[in-house]
Structures are given as structure tokens and as C-alpha cells.
Amino acid sequence: QMNAASDEVEPNWLPSIRSLADVKSTITRYRLIGARHVLSTDEASMAELDRLLAETSETLDRNFAKYAALISSEDERKLWTTFREEWREYVALQDEALVASRKNENEAAARIFADTAKLSADALAILDRDIALNDEAAAAATRLVESEYQSARRLVMVVSGVALLVAASAIGFVLLGVTGPLHGLNEAMAHVSKGRLDTVIPSVERRNEIGDMARTLVVFRDGLAEADRMRRSQADREADAARHQ
């Protein structure tokens, strides 16, 4: 889910918001050029403003196409369709004002252009709702990313804790299950090698390599004890024979 949410924020919601902001900015510029045209009486100035209007209209068309390609929900599509209808009405009315302006009918042009104010405000309000929709979607996706990140972080901490516990258990096993018994066998072997043949051999009950070593040591100890017993018995017989000579 985190990857899916991240994929929505960066390539979809944020570009949509930026694209709509570009649309709003270009619309404002288009309307300002129209207002200057309506107030102008100089033919050269009007020609330059006509050029700027055509250039800005082309930019708007590109911005419209760019945003339309980013629409990903039915709510976005409905808002965009409504905006485009409002905008077509605005352009048609502004064109009427521009026709009057080119004829130097400035009073009529100004009156018609004034009537475009509501259409412009309505169109921009729809864009604001569209921006808010995309912004909320981006915020929701960001919250989901943050939530998934925190969940993943907690999971990593749990897994790390389990790993540490397993490692500690392994160390404990080595210390208690291997090192300790080996130390006991070494001590027992040292005692046996010094002739303490009554030494108790630890770990003989283990069914592993430690147990095998312990049982081998038992056999070695018992062998030494038997050899010592036989040596003493032979010595006793020799002593007894010597007394009877």
C-alpha cells in the first residue's frame, strides 16, 4: 500500500495540482490582456494585444491537454467538464467585447467585458475546487505513506528485536550448552590425569558430541582405575609371596 500511495502522490496528484495552478495563472493573464485590449484605442497596441491573446490561448490549450491527461477520478472529470463549459462561455463573451474594441466601440466593449466577470469567477471557483480535491487526495495518500512507513518501522523494530533474541539465545546455547560442558570435561580430564580416578565425569547423559567425549573419558577413567586395581592386586600377591618364603 505504501508503494501504491507513493506512486499516486508523485506522478498523479502533485502534477495535477501544478498543472491546475498553471491553468489558473494563464487564465488570469488571458483576462488581463483582454481588459487591456478593451481599454485600448491605439491600433498598433491592439494588434500586439491580439498577438498576445493568440499566444496565451495556445498556452491554455496546452495546459488544458496536460491536465486532462492526468485526470484519474470521476469527480475530477466532472469538475473539469464543468469548468470547460464555463470557460467556453467566458471566451465567447470576451470575444464579443474584443470585436467591439477593434471597432473602437470602447463603451460597448467595456460593458460586455464587465459581464464576463461572473463567468470568470465561476470558472476559477471550479478550478479551486478541483485543486482542493487533488490536494486532499495527495494529503490522504501522504498520510497513508506515513502510516505505512510507521508500521514498517515498527515491524523492523520487532524483527530486529526477535533477531537479537535469537542471537542471544544462540550465544546462551553456546555458553551453556557447549562452553560450560567442555569446561567441565576439561576439569574432569585434569583430575583423572592426576590419578583421581573417582572423579565424576559430567555430561555423559548428553546425546551429542559432548556426551560422546564424556563417555569416552569415562571409559578412559575406568580403564585407568582397573589397571590401577590390577597393579595393586599384583603387588599385594607379590608381597604375600615374599612373606611366605
Side-chain angles (χ1 to χ4, degrees):
Q1 286 186 334
M2 182 169 66
N3 289 339
S6 298
D7 290 342
E8 282 296 309
V9 172
E10 183 57 33
N12 183 14
W13 305 120
L14 294 184
S16 294
I17 293 171
R18 287 193 291 266
S19 182
L20 286 170
D22 289 341
V23 169
K24 279 192 68 174
S25 174
T26 310
I27 282 176
T28 301
R29 183 166 183 266
Y30 186 85
R31 180 167 169 76
L32 287 174
I33 295 171
R36 288 174 58 195
H37 197 296
V38 167
L39 296 174
S40 178
T41 57
D42 180 70
E43 290 187 4
S45 296
M46 285 192 288
E48 174 61 15
L49 291 170
D50 280 330
R51 186 189 68 78
L52 291 174
L53 278 171
E55 182 181 284
T56 306
S57 180
E58 290 177 0
T59 301
L60 268 177
D61 288 340
R62 288 194 297 271
N63 289 341
F64 288 169
K66 182 179 178 181
Y67 174 70
L70 294 170
I71 294 175
S72 61
S73 73
E74 189 58 32
D75 288 339
E76 279 187 277
R77 195 172 304 283
K78 287 178 179 178
L79 284 171
W80 184 243
T81 299
T82 303
F83 160 75
R84 290 302 303 271
E85 290 172 355
E86 291 284 342
W87 182 246
R88 277 192 291 270
E89 290 184 29
Y90 172 86
V91 171
L93 194 57
Q94 177 169 298
D95 284 346
E96 288 183 26
L98 295 177
V99 168
S101 177
R102 293 184 188 103
K103 295 177 180 179
N104 287 322
E105 298 173 358
N106 298 96
E107 184 178 343
R111 186 175 60 253
I112 296 170
F113 190 82
D115 292 338
T116 67
K118 183 178 184 308
L119 290 173
S120 174
D122 290 345
L124 291 175
I126 295 169
L127 282 183
D128 286 338
R129 291 205 302 273
D130 206 351
I131 290 172
L133 177 68
N134 280 275
D135 186 56
E136 174 55 31
T142 301
R143 289 193 295 270
L144 178 58
V145 170
E146 177 64 21
S147 175
E148 291 293 327
Y149 168 76
Q150 293 298 335
S151 297
R153 187 168 178 269
R154 287 192 293 269
L155 179 60
V156 169
M157 292 177 66
V158 170
V159 171
S160 298
V162 171
L164 288 174
L165 182 60
V166 170
S169 299
I171 292 172
F173 172 77
V174 171
L175 292 177
L176 299 177
V178 177
T179 305
L182 276 177
H183 180 70
L185 283 177
N186 285 333
E187 286 189 341
M189 189 177 298
H191 293 325
V192 170
S193 66
K194 291 177 182 178
R196 295 173 55 181
L197 302 179
D198 58 345
T199 299
V200 176
I201 309 301
S203 303
V204 293
E205 75 284 353
R206 290 176 176 268
R207 299 301 174 191
N208 55 18
E209 291 82 355
I210 300 295
D212 292 341
M213 292 174 63
R215 288 185 287 275
T216 300
L217 184 56
V218 168
V219 173
F220 178 70
R221 180 203 63 187
D222 291 348
L224 289 177
E226 179 62 20
D228 185 63
R229 186 189 64 77
M230 292 177 65
R231 181 183 58 77
R232 287 197 305 270
S233 177
Q234 180 63 30
D236 289 342
R237 285 197 295 274
E238 290 176 355
D240 185 62
R243 284 195 300 269
H244 289 83
Q245 286 180 353

